């Protein structure tokens, strides 16, 4: 999912992303710079955890297909916990 698609899913706008080789889960844990959220200006780096549907969630009817984006959680960060870089 690129930053534009991510913005549509989260009602936000992102202008860049921090990536590092030390992140063992790059598809589920991402660091993005948020410039707008729900049409309000922002200037924050966010550590986001993504959840995608598995076979059990499809089986019980919570999702339509495997790997469907279901939700994310987010916390504002100033440093990358994997490589230690300051995010600014």
């Amino acid at each position: 999912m690129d930053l534009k698609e991510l913005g549509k899913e989260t009602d936000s706008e992102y202008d860049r992303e921090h990536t590092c080789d030390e992140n063992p889960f790059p598809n589920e844990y991402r660091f993005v710079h948020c410039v707008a959220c729900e049409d309000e200006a922002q200037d924050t780096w966010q550590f986001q955890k993504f959840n995608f549907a598995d076979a059990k969630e499809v089986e019980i009817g919570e999702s339509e297909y495997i790997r469907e984006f279901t939700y994310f959680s987010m916390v504002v960060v100033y440093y990358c916990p994997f490589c230690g870089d300051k995010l600014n």
Side-chain angles (χ1 to χ4, degrees):
M1 176 180 317
D2 67 23
L3 294 179
K4 191 170 193 164
E5 292 170 320
L6 176 61
K8 287 181 182 179
E9 291 288 342
T10 61
D11 195 19
S12 297
E13 183 180 341
Y14 307 100
D15 65 346
R16 58 187 184 256
E17 181 170 9
H18 168 75
T19 57
C20 65
D21 293 333
E22 287 82 3
N23 182 352
F25 312 105
N27 293 326
E28 296 176 16
Y29 296 98
R30 293 172 70 176
F31 298 88
V32 292
H33 183 255
C34 182
V35 295
C37 180
E38 297 178 351
D39 295 325
E40 289 189 30
Q42 302 281 312
D43 181 17
T44 59
W45 277 94
Q46 301 175 348
F47 176 54
Q48 297 184 345
K49 184 340 185 166
F50 299 91
N51 188 67
F52 299 94
D54 59 18
K56 182 167 179 113
E57 290 170 311
V58 172
E59 180 182 319
I60 63 175
E62 290 184 358
S63 297
E64 294 181 21
Y65 55 91
I66 294 174
R67 299 288 304 155
E68 176 184 6
F69 177 73
T70 55
Y71 69 89
F72 82 105
S73 53
M74 177 276 296
V75 64
V76 173
V77 293
Y78 298 96
Y79 295 88
C80 173
F82 298 114
C83 70
D85 281 355
K86 183 175 183 178
L87 304 172
N88 56 12

